[in-house]
Amino acid sequence: MNILSKKSLRAGLTMAAVATGLLSYSAYAVERDAGTDFSNMPQRIIVQYKDTKVRDWAGQAAALAQRGGHGMTYVRSLALADRQVYRLNKRMTPGQLKKLELTLEADPNVLAVEEDVLMQPQFIPNDTFYNVQWHYFEAVGGINLPPAWDKQTGAGVTVAVLDTGYVFHSDLHANILPGYDFISDVFVANDGNGRDPDASDPGDWVNANECGPFNPPQFRPSSWHGTHVSGTIAAVTNNNQGVAGVAFDAEVVPVRVLGKCGGFLSDIADGIVWASGGSVSGVPANANPAQVINMSLGGGGACGSTYQSAINTAVANGTTVVVSAGNSNANASGFRPANCANVIAVAATERFGARAYYSNFGATVDVSAPGGDVAFNPTHGVASTLNDGQTSPGNENYVYYQGTSMAAPHVSGTAALMYAKNGGLTPVQVENILQLTARPLPGPCTGGCGAGIIDANAAIDAVP
């Protein structure tokens, strides 16, 4: 199957079909995080002595066991003559092991003690198009995701995607929860009715001169934008099919707020409150309140009290709100919701780590993430789940998009991985950790791109 290419811009989406080749990648060994439980595996330590003198090593094991209060047996010598390996008779928690190490290091003959860490192959998914998802694994422009997957996969976390809804895709559907259609205007809804529990995407195509002041100059096909965003967050992974998701064991609640010509602020505000577990008159309660909300949407103007109040409600409910900075190559301070308080505003970078030419910038931006640049090279976009229907749903496929809309779900997915490690995180903690662990852009960013490109692995490690 070929991956197609689309440009995702604020004014619309332009499609150009291109074939793509496959890039190479490799697996390599990494250390599992300290909290991993290998219940059936022996736990071992390496003791470094202050000299290379040959001793009664079995006797040394008994002496160390007496000092540390934990039984152990001698295993062998290392090629490094001052180090010996001992096996613990009973597994210890990371805290207990650290205490044992410090106790043994008090021995006048011992220089240092460390765990003989069990190494494993790094998880590399077998999805057929994973190797074109450079935005996950490449050292220059990626988010350092593979080592993060050895630690967390997003299990138990819910992400709400406020967007165009969801069109069925076999590489995503298993991770989709019941959502809601918040579009109240029948014309915008394009599905024959107003609000209802059906968050499926009927298509958002528009004809020329159909959208008032936002008229496209010609027919614009359906974008299936929400499905692309959702695929980046939580596409089913390691299933020998398609693409991988950042937090592939997380689940997505589709909240439909964008339709033909866009979406009204009032509908989006209600969607924000509902997604976070708040109450909306006339709408059943959300059975799956989200820890993370992704809003790859926006427009010009000041934040305004309605947007800000809805966001504040979500944050008060414990939900992290991630938004795209906008695709106008302008200061994000003039675009909402990127200029609202209490959000994580995300700029887009291209494959070489520079700010993407279209991405908004400025002090309002918190962090950056890969958004791609299909204008430079079609395979430099962000690959994810989509549909080939020009108006109503057709056949599922995979498409390269570019935009800050594609950057934001990288951050939402990473936030989901963080919540999987510690469900008690606050939105402020999530933002602070993402900023503190971000790396500087390897390429230029005129105007400011926040703290830098997110590092998923470093962010998880920094979660308390």
Side-chain angles (χ1 to χ4, degrees):
M1 182 184 293
N2 291 333
I3 300 183
L4 305 180
S5 171
K6 289 188 180 181
K7 296 180 181 179
S8 177
L9 302 174
R10 185 171 64 87
L13 295 140
T14 303
M15 181 167 66
V18 296
T20 181
L22 299 181
L23 306 177
S24 63
Y25 67 99
S26 60
Y28 53 95
V30 295
E31 178 181 331
R32 287 282 192 171
D33 70 311
T36 305
D37 178 19
F38 298 100
S39 300
N40 297 322
M41 296 298 297
Q43 196 171 26
R44 312 197 307 189
I45 58 174
I46 299 172
V47 178
Q48 181 183 7
Y49 289 86
K50 293 182 178 179
D51 55 52
T52 58
K53 178 180 172 182
V54 177
R55 295 174 170 85
D56 173 11
W57 299 119
Q60 282 291 302
L64 293 173
Q66 184 175 12
R67 175 180 285 275
H70 195 91
M72 64 184 75
T73 56
Y74 177 66
V75 178
R76 65 177 179 86
S77 300
L78 269 71
L80 303 169
D82 60 344
R83 290 169 171 84
Q84 307 296 325
V85 180
Y86 298 90
R87 182 174 60 202
L88 305 182
N89 294 350
K90 183 180 179 181
R91 291 193 63 82
M92 309 179 78
T93 66
Q96 292 170 332
L97 183 59
K98 185 63 178 177
K99 183 178 179 180
L100 175 65
E101 291 170 357
L102 293 173
T103 300
L104 298 184
E105 287 172 353
D107 187 310
N109 294 322
V110 173
L111 182 62
V113 181
E114 63 180 310
E115 183 179 6
D116 189 6
V117 179
L118 184 68
M119 310 292 281
Q120 290 196 326
Q122 186 179 71
F123 174 72
I124 298 293
N126 60 18
D127 302 77
T128 51
F129 291 136
Y130 171 72
N131 51 358
V132 302
Q133 293 183 282
W134 58 267
H135 35 100
Y136 290 172
F137 57 80
E138 286 192 352
V140 176
I143 64 170
N144 196 22
L145 190 54
W149 281 331
D150 283 327
K151 302 166 184 176
Q152 298 297 333
T153 59
V157 179
T158 301
V159 181
V161 175
L162 273 65
D163 215 294
T164 63
Y166 164 68
V167 62
F168 177 87
H169 199 292
S170 63
D171 202 18
L172 177 60
H173 190 70
N175 288 336
I176 297 294
L177 292 170
Y180 206 85
D181 180 358
F182 274 90
I183 301 177
S184 54
D185 184 271
V186 175
F187 171 78
V188 174
N190 204 32
D191 60 358
N193 55 40
R195 291 184 173 182
D196 58 51
D198 182 6
S200 61
D201 186 350
D204 60 352
W205 81 93
V206 295
N207 296 310
N209 303 315
E210 196 173 17
C211 294
F214 306 104
N215 280 327
Q218 56 191 10
F219 170 78
R220 188 182 69 201
S222 292
S223 67
W224 315 113
H225 191 272
T227 300
H228 195 281
V229 168
S230 297
T232 297
I233 294 171
V236 178
T237 300
N238 210 40
N239 62 339
N240 281 298
Q241 176 185 344
V243 295
V246 174
F248 55 79
D249 280 334
E251 294 180 295
V252 170
V253 173
V255 182
R256 189 165 181 254
V257 295
L258 302 177
K260 185 183 283 287
C261 303
F264 286 105
L265 169 61
S266 56
D267 292 338
I268 296 171
D270 280 355
I272 293 170
V273 172
W274 182 84
S276 69
S279 176
V280 177
S281 178
V283 178
N286 179 9
N288 302 286
Q291 287 101 323
V292 184
I293 288 175
N294 187 95
M295 293 198 294
S296 291
L297 52 83
C303 176
S305 63
T306 298
Y307 239 145
Q308 192 61 69
S309 295
I311 291 167
N312 290 347
T313 298
V315 171
N317 289 338
T319 304
T320 294
V321 180
V322 179
V323 305
S324 55
N327 301 321
S328 299
N329 187 29
N331 197 305
S333 62
F335 295 83
R336 53 184 172 179
N339 57 10
C340 294
N342 295 328
V343 301
I344 301 176
V346 185
T349 53
E350 40 88 89
R351 192 167 185 173
F352 303 112
R355 177 176 69 86
Y357 71 91
Y358 53 80
S359 177
N360 287 352
F361 50 82
T364 301
V365 173
D366 296 299
V367 293
S368 299
D373 183 356
V374 299
F376 176 81
N377 185 318
T379 64
H380 286 202
V382 172
S384 188
T385 49
L386 212 77
N387 191 280
D388 68 5
Q390 294 290 289
T391 54
S392 56
N395 300 309
E396 65 179 43
N397 63 357
Y398 302 88
V399 175
Y400 287 112
Y401 268 7
Q402 71 173 26
T404 57
S405 285
M406 284 61 255
H410 285 79
V411 177
S412 294
T414 300
L417 297 178
M418 295 165 66
Y419 275 113
K421 181 175 181 179
N422 182 349
L425 289 174
T426 67
V428 171
Q429 286 178 307
V430 172
E431 181 176 353
N432 288 342
I433 290 172
L434 287 169
Q435 290 180 311
L436 289 171
T437 57
R439 60 185 175 90
L441 269 66
C445 176
T446 305
C449 287
I453 300 174
I454 62 166
D455 185 317
N457 186 55
I460 291 174
D461 285 346
V463 171

